[in-house]
Amino acid sequence: MALGTVALISGSGTVLAADDAEVSALRREIEALRKENATLKGLGTSAAAPVPLQAAPAEPATAARAPEKDAGTDSLALERVVVSGKRGLQAVKDIPLSISVISGEELKREDAVSLDAITKRLANVKWNYGNSQTSNYSIRGIGKIANNQAADPSVGIYADGVPFAYNPLASFNFYDVDSVEVARGPQGTLFGKNTTIGSIGIKYKRPSFTPSSEVTLGFSKYDAQDYGHANGSLKATAVSTGPIVDDVLAYRLSVNADRGGGWIINKYNPDNQYINADRVSGRVQFLLTPTADFNARLSLEVTPRMNENANIGSTNFFFRPTPAFYTNGDANLALTTEGRLSRGWFTRNASYTVGRDYLSQRAINSDSQQGLVTGTNTALLELNWNPSDKYQLSSITAFKDYYFNAFRDDEGTVFDVQTAAGNHIKYQQISQEFRLGSRVEGVVDYQFGLLLLKNANSTGSNAVYGSDGGAWFATNSQYGRLDVNSAGRSLLTDSITDLWKRTPSDSRGQSTAIYANADWKVSEPLTVNTGLRVSREERRLTSAAYLVEQGYGSDLGGANNGGFDSDASGNLAATNTAAQLLIANRVSQRYFGKTYGSLSAAERRQVADAKSIRQGRVGTLYDSFEAGVVNSTLYTWALSPKYKFNENVTGYVSYRHGEKAGLPGVLSTTGTPVSYEIKPEKNDAFEIGAKANLLGGDLVVNSAIYLNNIRDYQQTVFFVDETATALLRQTDPNATIQYTSGAGNVPKVRAQGVELDAVYTGFRNIQLRLAGAYNDAHYVRFERAANPVERANEGAFRDISGHTLPGASLWSFDLGANYNRPVLGDKVFHASINTAYLSRYNSDNSLSNYAWIPDHSITDVSFGIGHGRGKWDLNVFIKNVLDDDTVRNRTWNAYAPGFPRLFGITFSSRL
């Protein structure tokens, strides 16, 4: 090797040559990284670490082995680096907890920017299907049905140390990522917010004093499918970093754009494709290092409001014939969509048929479906100060908001049944966290912290009805009496046309917590980790239900809602006032041309039917009502002794306890709202684990056996409606107990199993990775679960104690392989394959027998060539290469298809 060159590392450990300019650049980069690391490291724990991992600079994903020195090389000493996946597991080998790590470089190469794509590569972690507002995440099978506007997430999500106190905050793209880490079990004694099930932490790349810029441009297109044709997607990411003032102020600018069509066509509007992408986001960071003992980082991120078509028919896209029989063999006599569409009102549109349009498996046909509008903004200020070698003070101040507006077409047809339906949400949170870390040499490393977090969520559920709504929602009997003459048809049309009901709620939360964590060094091989957190939680809820617009049928309301009162046959109530009787006469004159008193019995019944149809959509109305404030004191603790058997093997046992805040609820079944309380959720988690470097370091294995016992698991349940029962028993002391459904508590849930993370690098040029789990997550006691629709004739609820939790697979694993080989001198060929497998699970929160999703696997591949020093890279990827068509969600008469095969190509250039 010629003088003036240096050995550079490749994925295989093969030595590549670099010229003098590259050597100088590499020296500057290493020196800058060392300086930044010394500044940020403090006591060895990053202030913004999303999980309890030690801070470390990012390393190239292709680095595998230490460079071999050449006698003629420059004397520059390069530190030993390892493959990113292996390094991630090695980094957590001293943490007595089940943790998984994946590098940002791996995610970038596989075009994984959403948490859906990211969690496929992590053991026992799952994204649960839904739109931006309804999707969520589970760990160990727990968390899918813990979605509630006012409730804390069971699975905590962090971005750069900032806790997301609301699940939808994680529904956007994650780009320019350094690493993603998952910690399982209760969290909260070391950082951030308390969580009962675990946490997912995303760490972004930081500003650097070494100038560099990178641009990535990609194009992708779904394979031609029965679902329709897409127009392709364009993705672009640009990153620039460097000094503004040498050694004092640095910046990092990251911009991501993701635009493109979907693969499901809406025949009503062919340009309205599902699931499309419409995302643009930008983040700028500034790092200030005026002294070696102090640094400050400011991060600002903006994701403007975007419009994406993500759901129809309450997130199911295609429909199947409704079963004719219930589970017990009884005939299904309920009014179905197919039955409604067979009415003359709808068959007059001869170009629309049930078989060709509503039950089409190739495209949807919906008139009023619009895109979901979402957006978010983030501001973060992080301060770190090392007053001495033994202390580090940190502060993280953050603001985050979220906007969501949905216009669904729940019935999924071209008819004017609903002009709008969905939630309108405005959320924001502000948090302040302080941390103090220190150590007593050879005795204990400890950290104290204080978190203050306030959030507010303003939600409004809207339902707006169109001119076909009356004919759609009428019972068969009502329709038969009304669709017989012009007066009846006018009553059908006017009953709910332009009726707009809004059900707003305003939830507010405040958390004040103090926590401490310590590693006690009992002896050289034995260390005991202890942690304690005490938090004071306050939750408030205000709700209402009112009509924004009365629509055409305002006179058809009840006496308390702008109309008049009558019985089921249309006979006027004696309680009507003179003004209300005038309204009744106005109705009769409008539709029949005579006074109400001269109407025939059949005509009065038509009026009563129209009033009944309207009341069914109006439901209960009430003024703004504030539920009782729920205050709770929550405790989180951890006791985790670990024993280092030798340099390569560490074992641990762990007992962790976590709690989630209780919250208020509102019941309005009687027309008079009352408040009730949902109890805090509590999890006792036990683990036995081992972390080992074997075969001379070529094999890294982290494993854990776990047991989670969860009490008062928060989800939708049936419970006694005490107010409704008491009201009935005023006139009948023996009246049946009334039940209602709402957010509540399941007495006991359990998750138990085994987790494994392993990386093997013993083969030349190849890295193998396995993340797998056996997980038994089930209800231990749940006596009042909502009956699924196929059991609707058996009562409102049933006992599902012993049943597996919704969304929980018994087996799951992710198997990946990376291959890197030097070619053509200074080039590197790379390829990867990743297979994610899930055994069958039930996608329905009520555990419908129709909702089982069979076991399936998704395989993604990528291959390409790049410059050995990362100056450029060309990568081709195929997602779902085997075109697995397993559905994502299913009910007894509808389903959401899986994502079809996707072809893509990306080109990156680094300056």
Side-chain angles (χ1 to χ4, degrees):
M1 188 177 292
L3 186 65
T5 64
V6 66
L8 294 179
I9 199 164
S10 76
S12 63
T14 302
V15 178
L16 303 176
D19 56 26
D20 289 327
E22 289 175 326
V23 170
S24 299
L26 186 58
R27 280 201 186 103
R28 291 195 302 271
E29 185 174 352
I30 290 175
E31 184 59 33
L33 285 172
R34 284 173 175 163
K35 182 173 182 178
E36 290 173 32
N37 203 29
T39 302
L40 295 172
K41 183 173 64 175
L43 299 173
T45 302
S46 168
V51 296
L53 304 183
Q54 299 230 334
E59 296 172 349
T62 56
R65 302 182 187 279
E68 301 171 11
K69 274 206 168 186
D70 187 280
T73 64
D74 193 282
S75 60
L76 174 65
L78 297 176
E79 295 182 0
R80 184 179 187 272
V81 292
V82 294
V83 176
S84 57
K86 177 176 169 183
R87 174 185 173 276
L89 292 184
Q90 288 176 328
V92 301
K93 67 183 180 67
D94 293 326
I95 307 295
L97 187 64
S98 178
I99 297 176
S100 296
V101 184
I102 189 168
S103 76
E105 292 301 317
E106 289 179 78
L107 299 174
K108 175 184 171 184
R109 180 156 293 173
E110 296 175 9
D111 192 44
V113 294
S114 67
L115 270 191
D116 173 25
I118 292 170
T119 54
K120 287 178 181 176
R121 290 150 177 80
L122 299 164
N124 226 356
V125 183
K126 185 172 179 286
W127 173 77
N128 298 300
Y129 164 74
N131 61 34
S132 169
Q133 193 267 325
T134 59
S135 63
N136 57 19
Y137 307 88
S138 57
I139 292 178
R140 295 173 175 171
I142 302 170
K144 178 183 186 298
I145 45 183
N147 235 14
N148 182 290
Q149 296 295 338
D152 294 344
S154 293
V155 175
I157 297 177
Y158 295 79
D160 268 4
V162 178
F164 291 1
Y166 187 47
N167 265 319
L169 295 177
S171 60
F172 301 90
N173 283 359
F174 294 95
Y175 55 96
D176 199 20
V177 171
D178 182 59
S179 62
V180 178
E181 300 134 354
V182 170
R184 302 172 183 86
Q187 305 295 315
T189 65
L190 187 63
F191 65 94
K193 196 170 177 355
N194 54 305
T195 60
T196 53
I197 307 303
S199 63
I200 303 172
I202 298 96
K203 182 180 178 183
Y204 296 124
K205 292 181 179 179
R206 299 292 199 263
S208 171
F209 288 100
T210 302
S212 71
S213 297
E214 180 177 359
V215 176
T216 300
L217 184 65
F219 175 80
S220 61
K221 187 177 187 300
Y222 289 108
D223 195 6
Q225 295 271 313
D226 289 341
Y227 311 132
H229 300 282
N231 59 9
S233 296
L234 185 68
K235 296 183 180 181
T237 302
V239 178
S240 178
T241 188
I244 297 175
V245 178
D246 286 342
D247 300 329
V248 177
L249 182 63
Y251 77 93
R252 188 177 191 93
L253 179 65
S254 310
V255 179
N256 175 258
D258 184 357
R259 299 289 300 275
W263 75 94
I264 302 173
I265 301 299
N266 184 358
K267 290 168 61 177
Y268 192 87
N269 179 3
D271 289 330
N272 201 355
Q273 299 180 357
Y274 306 76
I275 308 275
N276 73 311
D278 180 18
R279 301 187 175 195
V280 177
S281 183
R283 180 171 59 249
V284 61
Q285 301 178 72
F286 298 99
L287 175 66
L288 177 66
T289 59
T291 69
D293 298 326
F294 176 81
N295 67 80
R297 182 172 65 94
L298 174 66
S299 177
L300 303 172
E301 183 171 16
V302 176
T303 302
R305 293 182 187 180
M306 56 192 184
N307 190 310
E308 295 181 328
N309 294 299
N311 65 318
I312 188 172
S314 299
T315 70
N316 286 302
F317 293 90
F318 295 121
F319 302 97
R320 295 191 185 279
T322 303
F325 298 94
Y326 292 111
T327 298
N328 65 2
D330 289 351
N332 176 15
L333 302 179
L335 182 57
T336 65
T337 298
E338 298 94 315
R340 291 182 169 103
L341 290 173
S342 68
R343 293 171 173 173
W345 190 281
F346 301 103
T347 57
R348 285 177 293 180
N349 183 351
S351 62
Y352 183 93
T353 68
V354 172
R356 186 179 62 245
D357 295 288
Y358 180 72
L359 297 179
S360 170
Q361 306 302 295
R362 299 178 59 88
I364 64 173
N365 200 348
S366 171
D367 64 328
S368 62
Q369 180 71 24
Q370 299 181 37
L372 302 176
V373 179
T374 57
T376 186
N377 301 289
T378 305
L380 163 69
L381 177 63
E382 176 188 347
L383 308 174
N384 298 294
W385 178 43
N386 299 327
S388 72
D389 292 340
K390 293 185 177 181
Y391 295 96
Q392 181 184 35
L393 292 170
S394 300
S395 168
I396 300 178
T397 307
F399 168 85
K400 196 163 182 67
D401 67 8
Y402 172 79
Y403 179 88
F404 177 91
N405 198 12
F407 286 86
R408 297 194 313 267
D409 183 7
D410 282 350
E411 93 282 351
T413 72
V414 299
F415 298 103
D416 188 23
V417 177
Q418 286 182 307
T419 58
N423 281 328
H424 184 202
I425 299 171
K426 295 179 180 179
Y427 171 89
Q428 65 179 29
Q429 66 174 55
I430 186 169
S431 61
Q432 174 64 59
E433 186 168 5
F434 299 102
R435 299 175 189 163
L436 169 64
S438 184
R439 65 162 54 103
V440 177
E441 193 67 37
V443 179
V444 62
D445 296 343
Y446 60 90
Q447 180 167 295
F448 296 98
L450 173 67
L451 174 71
L452 306 173
L453 188 150
K454 297 183 70 173
N455 63 341
N457 191 345
S458 176
T459 301
S461 176
N462 295 288
V464 186
Y465 301 97
S467 59
D468 294 324
W472 185 271
F473 290 107
T475 67
N476 285 332
S477 298
Q478 290 169 341
Y479 180 80
R481 289 189 291 264
L482 287 168
D483 191 26
V484 293
N485 53 35
S486 60
R489 284 187 282 272
S490 294
L491 284 165
L492 272 175
T493 299
D494 291 353
S495 60
I496 58 174
T497 296
D498 285 353
L499 176 69
W500 179 357
K501 181 179 179 180
R502 182 172 174 83
T503 310
S505 66
D506 186 79
S507 58
R508 297 179 181 272
Q510 179 170 315
S511 302
T512 305
I514 185 170
Y515 58 84
N517 191 85
D519 284 326
W520 302 91
K521 300 176 182 178
V522 180
S523 64
E524 182 61 30
L526 178 62
T527 301
V528 178
N529 173 264
T530 58
L532 177 64
R533 178 192 188 95
V534 180
S535 65
R536 185 64 177 170
E537 307 288 336
E538 179 184 280
R539 299 293 184 269
R540 296 177 178 270
L541 176 64
T542 302
S543 68
Y546 59 89
L547 297 181
V548 179
E549 294 183 8
Q550 289 275 1
Y552 288 17
S554 59
D555 287 347
L556 295 171
N560 61 348
N561 192 29
F564 59 95
D565 284 341
S566 62
D567 62 19
S569 297
N571 300 310
L572 293 174
T575 55
N576 284 312
T577 64
Q580 291 161 353
L581 291 175
L582 287 175
I583 295 173
N585 279 318
R586 189 163 64 210
V587 167
S588 64
Q589 289 288 347
R590 179 183 303 149
Y591 296 102
F592 302 100
K594 50 188 172 181
T595 64
Y596 199 94
S598 61
L599 294 180
S600 68
E603 291 169 335
R604 290 197 301 273
R605 186 60 186 266
Q606 285 184 312
V607 174
D609 286 336
K611 287 169 63 66
S612 178
I613 293 169
R614 179 181 177 83
Q615 182 55 38
R617 299 302 99 198
V618 170
T620 300
L621 303 177
Y622 58 95
D623 295 331
S624 180
F625 174 79
E626 183 173 358
V629 179
V630 173
N631 291 295
S632 52
T633 301
L634 306 182
Y635 300 93
T636 303
W637 64 76
L639 176 63
S640 306
K642 66 176 181 179
Y643 190 85
K644 192 172 185 179
F645 294 97
N646 54 51
E647 289 299 318
N648 295 316
V649 180
T650 299
Y652 71 90
V653 296
S654 175
Y655 168 44
R656 291 176 174 267
H657 174 86
E659 300 180 355
K660 187 169 81 170
L663 58 148
V666 175
L667 291 180
S668 58
T669 52
T670 64
T672 301
V674 295
S675 64
Y676 69 100
E677 185 172 331
I678 301 151
K679 294 183 289 186
E681 178 180 298
K682 300 179 180 180
N683 180 17
D684 289 298
F686 305 88
E687 278 185 29
I688 301 175
K691 305 188 178 188
N693 293 342
L694 306 174
L695 304 179
D698 285 334
L699 177 62
V700 179
V701 179
N702 293 349
S703 59
I705 301 172
Y706 62 86
L707 170 66
N708 290 261
N709 285 323
I710 302 171
R711 290 168 290 157
D712 295 322
Y713 182 56
Q714 293 179 359
Q715 71 159 77
T716 299
V717 300
F718 267 86
F719 49 85
V720 175
D721 188 334
E722 296 179 354
T723 303
T725 302
L727 186 62
L728 286 177
R729 289 184 173 177
Q730 288 178 1
T731 56
D732 181 5
N734 298 317
T736 304
I737 294 175
Q738 300 297 297
Y739 292 90
T740 190
S741 65
N745 299 99
V746 174
K748 190 171 183 180
V749 168
R750 177 174 294 156
Q752 55 196 4
V754 181
E755 291 162 338
L756 175 70
D757 267 312
V759 173
Y760 181 71
T761 57
F763 298 122
R764 184 178 178 83
N765 303 325
I766 296 176
Q767 171 191 293
L768 301 176
R769 175 166 182 161
L770 171 66
Y774 167 83
N775 180 55
D776 174 19
H778 62 275
Y779 294 109
V780 178
R781 269 188 58 210
F782 192 8
E783 296 93 345
R784 293 179 188 156
N787 254 325
V789 64
E790 71 269 20
R791 293 177 176 270
N793 63 326
E794 300 176 21
F797 57 86
R798 61 174 175 155
D799 186 347
I800 59 170
S801 301
H803 287 236
T804 300
L805 265 66
S809 293
L810 190 63
W811 295 93
S812 63
F813 70 77
D814 179 86
L815 179 62
N818 296 327
Y819 178 79
N820 296 273
R821 182 180 180 85
V823 296
L824 304 176
D826 60 350
K827 313 299 187 299
V828 174
F829 171 80
H830 54 78
S832 68
I833 183 170
N834 193 91
T835 295
Y837 167 83
L838 290 173
S839 64
R840 76 169 197 151
Y841 63 89
N842 197 301
S843 62
D844 179 47
N845 290 348
S846 299
L847 298 181
S848 168
N849 284 332
Y850 290 87
W852 284 101
I853 307 300
D855 59 325
H856 63 283
S857 62
I858 302 292
T859 299
D860 301 338
V861 300
S862 69
F863 56 90
I865 189 169
H867 188 271
R869 286 279 289 144
K871 291 182 178 180
W872 57 267
D873 187 85
L874 179 66
N875 186 56
V876 176
F877 62 86
I878 307 174
K879 293 187 176 183
N880 191 11
V881 66
L882 301 179
D883 201 19
D884 178 83
D885 61 357
T886 305
V887 302
R888 289 175 290 158
N889 193 66
R890 176 183 286 153
T891 68
W892 81 332
N893 63 355
Y895 69 95
F899 285 84
R901 182 164 44 216
L902 178 75
F903 298 92
I905 184 170
T906 60
F907 180 79
S908 300
S909 177
R910 182 176 296 168
L911 305 177

